[in-house]
Amino acid sequence: MPQPAFDMLRALAIGSQALGLMLIITLETVMGDAARPWQGGVLAIMVAAALAIALVRLYRRNRLRKQQAQRLADHDDD
């Protein structure tokens, strides 16, 4: 089965990391040293988003494997 041309999860991962990095840099520029706690919060959200996207990807991959195994099992029974 070929890979789709556009992977929504990959785009979401790249976008969320880019947005987080821009926000961290903007906070540093605007707030100076007072931005440290906010930057930590943004970093935590970035890590949580990356983990959530990885879990969704793993779930989808396992679901596709189960569907393919079921199709093979059904085909072998015929």
Side-chain angles (χ1 to χ4, degrees):
M1 178 181 222
Q3 293 289 332
F6 180 76
D7 185 2
M8 186 62 171
L9 286 177
R10 184 170 301 218
L12 185 60
I14 292 169
S16 67
Q17 297 301 305
L19 181 65
L21 180 61
M22 289 188 314
L23 188 55
I24 285 173
I25 292 170
T26 302
L27 284 169
E28 179 71 26
T29 302
V30 173
M31 298 176 71
D33 286 339
R36 299 285 186 231
W38 293 102
Q39 290 173 325
V42 170
L43 182 61
I45 292 170
M46 289 170 62
V47 170
L51 288 173
I53 291 169
L55 286 175
V56 169
R57 183 176 299 278
L58 181 64
Y59 171 78
R60 285 183 179 178
R61 186 180 310 130
N62 286 341
R63 188 182 65 200
L64 285 173
R65 283 182 185 158
K66 286 180 184 179
Q67 288 173 351
Q68 288 175 347
Q70 183 64 36
R71 276 191 232 122
L72 285 174
D74 290 344
H75 182 69
D76 289 343
D77 289 342
D78 292 340

